[in-house]
Structures are given as structure tokens and as C-alpha cells.
């Protein structure tokens, strides 16, 4: 969305929601260097539970994939399903102050698979020809957790993520965060007399309640007419953090002449953002389902985001209207302590609330370190940034130490170029990007309960001096507030 945040979508950040009962808005999506798999989804409360789809960007005419052309390609979209109406679910957990109801099923292309009584005959089926290669475009549209995915007996070759290509690597399983896309090649080179399960399950390092079911789809060869039991797919244990980070750590950019990297070698803006689970006091006279009778919350740098409701941040910024947001989001946590200690004093649990933004100078080079904390028990956080991809230059467990980690472990040669990265439980991730896209851009955890509790903030990239370095004007049909 170069210079055009008007159709980016997050409610009360870049637009007011499209009104029910006849409201409409013409979405204008502008692509630049993206190639591969992206996706779109609703960004109002929890509507993205069912309102989403794939965006596929093919190579330009006359250009080729950086790998042998596959026989065919198709999206594999993971989702979640509740028996309860999604708006009732959202209202119930927001009212209670506790965790939301765990989903009843994971889905693959809309189907839960044969492990569920209601859908035994309705699983998604993929028919392949012996000896051919297929490009599977994996999209995690699930609401609440990272997923493990594998195909029985078949090794997958990872070739891309988040609309960019990567150095190919082979893996027996995939770890994919909510909001993330991963492109993989599947070689149909196994015996045709058998069929094979495709399976996915949640990875969750710390949640007390999680959907432990496995969703299934079926891969079979076109000449196979047998009814034998499919070969089972092997998946890591639900809380296998080592398996999750080991996969994620293997991504590298192509970094060749056709796909150069432009990672900032130095940063002139250094940001250090803590990601925390919090608790706030229960209102007088109410009953709350959070820890010790409190309400659950979440924060970035101890600020729990409270969205405006009278006007969106973008509209206020563009028109110079005050009182909608503050411009003093902290560059560092307001209080420093041992963020990943097993025991953290309860005094640190209560966050501030507000709607502050962080201003960025046009064309500045930014380093942002995400630091997970162990407040209320650490958990993984898939962080997503609108408006630009970023280079993932480093990660680790424990507290970030710039002298040790930045100077010795950063990859500034071929880091992956992503828009979503999972910060491991009680660990950190460092990313770098250039602020060359003027406008208002939301950043948030892509676990919906964390985002709903306030784990998000907004960047505003100022206009540059040149005529092509300024934000474009709004369309005429922006939704009213």
C-alpha cells in the first residue's frame, strides 16, 4: 500500500468500520515488490474469523519462479470454528475479562476433517499425479494460535513467506503463525497405492486451555482407487517450543541479483518494545474471570491500547484534528526489570492505557527489538506490521543484550523479509526496516485475544520532501464514524 493507508483496514486506526445495513467502501489495493502468497481479512472486532481469503501474486509476464515451475498451485487455508456465534463469543469474553472460549475445531480449506463426528466425510481432498510438483500456498487464518502442519510421508520444500521468496530448505513439518503465509513445494513421489493424511494442530507453549484436536485433509494419487486407511502424519507435541523456533530460524532471503536485500546496516532509530500479558482491577460491583478476580489485558511497553471511537487515527492525522491520539509512545519500556524471570513482582502487572503513536521520520532506518516478558506467564507473540515488510535480523531466548546479541548474532547478509514474526516465549526478536512508506500503520499481535486486550500500537511515518514521498489523498467514499 505505497503512500495509501486509506484502504489498509484496521478499524479506528486507518478507517471507521463499514456500517451495517448498506454501508460500502471500495477497497483499493496497491502492490509493489510483493510476489508469492498474501491474504486479506476483515479487521473489525473478530469478523476475520470467517471473512478472509487468499491473494496470489504471480511472476511478471516473461519472468519465472526462482525454482522449477510447479505443475499446479493452490491455497491451503487454516481456520478455526466455534459452535457459538462469533460476535456472541467476542462479547462474552470481553465482558468476563477472562480467556475466550477455545475453538471447537481447526479447519483446512473450510473443513475440520474426519476426526470430528460432524464432518467425517467432508474433509478437503487433494488429488496429485505421480512425479509432479505442486506449489502449496499455506495461509494461517486461525484466530488464536500458531500451527504445526505436515503431510504424511512427504517432505516439503519451503520457498517463500509473506509475499517474498526464500532460499529453499526441506522440512518434515511447518510452523506457521496466524497472519503468516508460507509457500512450499510438494513432490508427489510416493507410492500411488496409498493415501496420506495432511494434518494440522495448535502449537501453544503456555496456554492452560487449548484445542488439542488435530484437523485432517487427504492427499491421494489420481490413479489410486483403494480404500485403505490413510498413512498418519507425524506432528510435534503441542508445547514443543524447540520445534517451533527451529523451523522459523531456518528462513533466509534469496539475496541474489534478481532478489537483492536492502537491510539497513545501521539504524538511526532504535526501539525496544516489551510484549506482556497483564491484569487490571475488576470494576466495582462486577465479577471478572481473570487471574485473582481481575481482568486480563495485554500491552506493548506497558501501554494497553484503547482504540478511539469518534474518529480514526489516520483521519485525525491527515486533517490535523487533536485529541484522538497522543504522539508520545515510549521508545523503551518505562520500567526495566528482569523481563523473563520466573517470578516477577505483581506490581508490574497493571499497564497504563492509552492511544499513543510513535512518529518516524521519512526514510529513517529503524531497528525494533520485540522482547517477550514472563508477566502472568510468558507466551509466544506473532507480531505483525502493516505498511511494510521488515528484515528479521536476530532472535534468542531470555532478555535481549545489545552488546552480546546485536554484535555477535545478527544476520545482516540474507535475513528473511517478512511482515509477521513469532516472538518466542520469554525471548526476543530483532527486526529492521526503512520508513519509506508515509502514512499511518498499525502493529499488533496476531493472536486475536492479545490484540483485543490491547497488544498493539501505531506508527506514523511522516511525509518526505519529494512529491512522490508524500501520502496520497483519501478516496471520496471513506466510511463515516
Amino acid at each position: 500500500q505505497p503512500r495509501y493507508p486509506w484502504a489498509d483496514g484496521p478499524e479506528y486506526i486507518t478507517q471507521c468500520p463499514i456500517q451495517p445495513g448498506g454501508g460500502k467502501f471500495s477497497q483499493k489495493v496497491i502492490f509493489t515488490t510483493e510476489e508469492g502468497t498474501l491474504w486479506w481479512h476483515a479487521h473489525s472486532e473478530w469478523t476475520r474469523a470467517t471473512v478472509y481469503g487468499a491473494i496470489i501474486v504471480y511472476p511478471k509476464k516473461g519472468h519465472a519462479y526462482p525454482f522449477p515451475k510447479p505443475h499446479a498451485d493452490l491455497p491451503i487455508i487454516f481456520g478455526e470454528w466455534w459452535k457459538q456465534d462469533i460476535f456472541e463469543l467476542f462479547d462474552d469474553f470481553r465482558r468476563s475479562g477472562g480467556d475466550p472460549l477455545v475453538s471447537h475445531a481447526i479447519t483446512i480449506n473450510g473443513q475440520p476433517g474426519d476426526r470430528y463426528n460432524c464432518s467425517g466425510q467432508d474433509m478437503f481432498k487433494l488429488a496429485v499425479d505421480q512425479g509432479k510438483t505442486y506449489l502449496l500456498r499455506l495461509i494461517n487464518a486461525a484466530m488464536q494460535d500458531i500451527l504445526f502442519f505436515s503431510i504424511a510421508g512427504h517432505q516439503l520444500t519451503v520457498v517463500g513467506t509473506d509475499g517474498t521468496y526464500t532460499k529453499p530448505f526441506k522440512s518434515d513439518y511447518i510452523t506457521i503463525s496466524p497472519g503468516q503465509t508460507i509457500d512450499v513445494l510438494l513432490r508427489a513421489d510416493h507410492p500411488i497405492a496409498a493415501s496420506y493424511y495432511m494434518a494440522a494442530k495448535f502449537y501453544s507453549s503456555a496456554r492452560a486451555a487449548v484445542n488439542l484436536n488435530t484437523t485432517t485433509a487427504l492427499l491421494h494419487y489420481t490413479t489410486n482407487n483403494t480404500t485403505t486407511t490413510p498413512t498418519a502424519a507425524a506432528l510435534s507435541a503441542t508445547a514443543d517450543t524447540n520445534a517451533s523456533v527451529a523451523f522459523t530460524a531456518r528462513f533466509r532471503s534469496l539475496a541474489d541479483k534478481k532478489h537483492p536485500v536492502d537491510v539497513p546496516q545501521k539504524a538511526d532509530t532504535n526501539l525496544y518494545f516489551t510484549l506482556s500479558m497483564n491484569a487490571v482491577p475488576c470494576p466495582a460491583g462486577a465479577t471478572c474471570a481473570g487471574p485473582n478476580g481481575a481482568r486480563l489485558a495485554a500491552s506493548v511497553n506497558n501501554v494497553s491500547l484503547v482504540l478511539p471511537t469518534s474518529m480514526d487515527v489516520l483521519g485525525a492525522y491527515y486533517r490535523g484534528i487533536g485529541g484522538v491520539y497522543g504522539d508520545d509512545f515510549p521508545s523503551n519500556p518505562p520500567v526495566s526489570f528482569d523481563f523473563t524471570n520466573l517470578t516477577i513482582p505483581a506490581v508490574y502487572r497493571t499497564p497504563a492505557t492509552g492511544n499513543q503513536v510513535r512518529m518516524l521520520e521519512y526514510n529513517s532506518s529503524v531497528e525494533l527489538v520485540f522482547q517477550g516478558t514472563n508477566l502472568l506467564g510468558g507466551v509466544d507473540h506473532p507480531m505483525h506490521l502493516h505498511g511494510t515488510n521488515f528484515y528479521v535480523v536476530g532472535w534468542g531466548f531470555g532478555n535481549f543484550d545489545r552488546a552480546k546479541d546485536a554484535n555477535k548474532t545478527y544476520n545482516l547478509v540474507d535475513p528473511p523479509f517478512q511482515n509477521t514474526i513469532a516472538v518466542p516465549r520469554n525471548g526476543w526478536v530483532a527486526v529492521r526496516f526503512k520508513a519509506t512508506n508515509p502514512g499511518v500503520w498499525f502493529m499488533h499481535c496476531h493472536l486475536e485475544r492479545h490484540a483485543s486486550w490491547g497488544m498493539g500500537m501505531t506508527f506514523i511515518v511522516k511525509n518526505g520532501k519529494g512529491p512522490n514521498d508524500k501520502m496520497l489523498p483519501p478516496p471520496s467514499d471513506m466510511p463515516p464514524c
Side-chain angles (χ1 to χ4, degrees):
Q1 295 287 79
R3 303 191 295 137
Y4 196 74
W6 302 101
D8 192 46
E11 63 175 347
Y12 298 114
I13 300 294
T14 58
Q15 68 177 80
C16 290
I18 301 168
Q19 297 298 308
K24 60 182 180 179
F25 175 54
S26 301
Q27 204 80 14
K28 178 180 179 180
V29 183
I30 306 171
F31 297 100
T32 51
T33 61
E34 299 90 353
E35 189 174 314
T37 305
L38 300 167
W39 69 304
W40 61 269
H41 60 83
H43 222 299
S44 176
E45 297 182 340
W46 277 26
T47 47
R48 85 162 179 86
T50 56
V51 185
Y52 57 78
I55 297 174
I56 297 173
V57 183
Y58 291 105
K60 294 180 180 179
K61 290 183 178 181
H63 293 72
Y65 293 105
F67 45 80
K69 184 178 180 179
H71 171 68
D73 69 280
L74 76 157
I76 302 291
I77 305 180
F78 306 105
E80 278 186 90
W81 186 258
W82 284 264
K83 296 178 183 178
Q84 184 181 9
D85 177 270
I86 199 66
F87 293 106
E88 293 178 0
L89 172 75
F90 177 80
D91 290 340
D92 286 349
F93 105 89
R94 292 286 287 169
R95 187 183 307 112
S96 74
D99 259 318
L101 178 70
V102 172
S103 62
H104 295 95
I106 312 167
T107 60
I108 296 178
N109 283 359
Q111 298 293 348
D114 63 359
R115 302 284 182 90
Y116 299 87
N117 293 332
C118 64
S119 59
Q121 303 302 313
D122 297 325
M123 76 171 83
F124 172 73
K125 297 177 182 178
L126 172 61
V128 296
D129 293 333
Q130 174 77 23
K132 292 182 178 179
T133 298
Y134 297 81
L135 175 58
L136 305 184
R137 302 179 180 274
L138 310 181
I139 301 168
N140 188 354
M143 298 285 284
Q144 298 296 12
D145 284 286
I146 299 167
L147 290 171
F148 288 128
F149 170 74
S150 70
I151 301 178
H154 293 71
Q155 203 171 48
L156 300 170
T157 301
V158 176
V159 294
T161 184
D162 291 346
T164 62
Y165 295 120
T166 63
K167 286 184 170 69
F169 67 89
K170 295 182 181 296
S171 182
D172 295 324
Y173 69 97
I174 302 298
T175 307
I176 184 168
S177 294
Q180 186 179 19
T181 71
I182 298 178
D183 293 336
V184 300
L185 296 176
L186 165 69
R187 178 70 176 172
D189 56 1
H190 277 59
I192 63 175
S195 55
Y196 305 86
Y197 272 127
M198 307 163 66
K201 66 183 290 188
F202 282 131
Y203 157 67
S204 182
S205 61
R207 281 188 78 191
V210 66
N211 185 338
L212 297 176
N213 294 318
T214 298
T215 185
T216 54
L218 191 67
L219 184 148
H220 67 94
Y221 287 78
T222 54
T223 55
N224 177 16
N225 296 315
T226 66
T227 57
T228 57
T229 301
T231 303
L235 290 168
S236 301
T238 299
D240 193 342
T241 296
N242 289 333
S244 175
V245 299
F247 175 83
T248 302
R250 298 179 67 186
F251 282 90
R252 297 288 186 274
S253 288
L254 282 177
D256 57 25
K257 290 183 179 181
K258 293 183 178 180
H259 307 89
V261 299
D262 189 24
V263 57
Q265 297 300 298
K266 293 183 179 179
D268 46 47
T269 301
N270 286 280
L271 306 173
Y272 185 46
F273 286 2
T274 52
L275 311 173
S276 301
M277 303 304 302
N278 303 98
V280 297
C282 191
T287 300
C288 297
N292 300 315
R295 292 183 62 87
L296 284 166
S299 65
V300 180
N301 271 356
N302 204 46
V303 179
S304 187
L305 175 64
V306 177
L307 291 171
T309 56
S310 60
M311 175 175 285
D312 56 291
V313 174
L314 174 59
Y317 171 66
Y318 185 79
R319 296 174 178 86
I321 299 173
V324 177
Y325 64 89
D327 61 0
D328 56 349
F329 189 87
S331 299
N332 295 280
V335 178
S336 182
F337 55 92
D338 185 355
F339 298 120
T340 59
N341 196 303
L342 293 179
T343 303
I344 298 177
V347 68
Y348 295 123
R349 293 180 180 175
T350 303
T353 58
N355 179 34
Q356 294 99 326
V357 306
R358 180 56 163 84
M359 307 296 293
L360 296 175
E361 297 296 328
Y362 179 79
N363 207 34
S364 58
S365 295
V366 181
E367 176 175 304
L368 169 55
V369 177
F370 296 110
Q371 174 70 63
T373 80
N374 200 40
L375 278 168
L376 297 186
V379 66
D380 302 74
H381 297 291
M383 299 305 295
H384 173 66
L385 176 61
H386 291 238
T388 185
N389 275 24
F390 46 68
Y391 290 99
V392 181
V393 298
W395 71 276
F397 290 110
N399 297 317
F400 175 73
D401 182 330
R402 178 166 297 280
K404 179 184 70 176
D405 297 318
N407 295 333
K408 295 182 180 180
T409 66
Y410 275 14
N411 173 14
L412 300 178
V413 178
D414 59 353
F417 196 46
Q418 302 175 234
N419 61 47
T420 304
I421 184 62
V423 180
R425 180 186 183 187
N426 292 337
W428 58 271
V429 169
V431 304
R432 287 185 180 181
F433 63 93
K434 289 185 177 180
T436 55
N437 194 7
V440 174
W441 306 108
F442 193 33
M443 188 196 75
H444 60 96
C445 182
H446 230 299
L447 304 182
E448 288 305 309
R449 64 189 186 281
H450 294 179
S452 298
W453 286 328
M455 190 174 286
M457 57 81 63
T458 305
F459 286 108
I460 295 182
V461 179
K462 298 179 182 179
N463 283 334
K465 296 181 179 179
N468 295 322
D469 301 335
K470 301 181 187 298
M471 190 170 62
L472 295 168
S476 60
D477 62 345
M478 290 300 295
C481 291

